[in-house]
Amino acid sequence: MSPRASLFLLAAAALAAGCEPSITALTIAPPTAVADVDNVEKDVRLSQGIALAIECTYQNSPCEDATATSSDPEIVRVLPGFVDLLAPGDAYQRYATDVPRAVFIFVGGKPGDAVVTLTSSDGNTSIDVNVLPLP
């Protein structure tokens, strides 16, 4: 194999290894509440009693076969979300389509820290969730 081909394969493997699903908030918190998503750090801060819709994408497409589970459902419950299939995908600038989107609803329970494990055929990621007490 030529050095150029080896370099190309090494670069492609490095890029593929660094790819993991992304998360994006689809909703915002009401006034005086918190619902923050940090996609880089995979952190979510959520006020107690607040629901937040989060979309999972992989390389600008919906995550395939995505599921999510909480390490402590008393701190954060995770439910599958269903959005209108014709709604624009603002989270990653795509046009309305009939392709199902991978959306989950995080519901803040009692204050504390939990981990949501998001699993898809595109890859897995862990999301640290901090539920804040009511003001």
Side-chain angles (χ1 to χ4, degrees):
M1 183 181 297
S2 73
R4 178 178 240 172
S6 297
L7 183 60
F8 177 76
L9 287 174
L10 180 62
L15 284 173
C19 291
E20 62 180 21
S22 297
I23 57 171
T24 306
L26 295 180
T27 56
I28 61 172
T32 73
V34 175
D36 296 330
V37 175
D38 182 341
N39 185 45
V40 175
E41 296 295 324
K42 298 289 191 274
D43 287 336
V44 172
R45 289 183 336 123
L46 189 60
S47 291
Q48 185 177 12
I50 299 300
L52 174 67
I54 293 179
E55 182 168 21
C56 176
T57 60
Y58 179 75
Q59 297 181 344
N60 295 329
S61 295
C63 291
E64 290 191 31
D65 303 318
T67 60
T69 56
S70 173
S71 65
D72 189 342
E74 290 187 17
I75 294 175
V76 62
R77 286 187 60 208
V78 182
L79 307 165
F82 300 96
V83 295
D84 186 344
L85 295 180
L86 299 178
D90 296 331
Y92 44 93
Q93 305 299 317
R94 69 182 184 132
Y95 296 104
T97 180
D98 60 355
V99 175
R101 294 163 65 183
V103 177
F104 298 96
I105 310 302
F106 287 32
V107 181
K110 69 180 186 181
D113 295 313
V115 175
V116 171
T117 303
L118 198 149
T119 304
S120 76
S121 55
D122 301 310
N124 303 332
T125 192
S126 292
I127 305 164
D128 295 321
V129 180
N130 176 245
V131 176
L132 308 171
L134 291 172

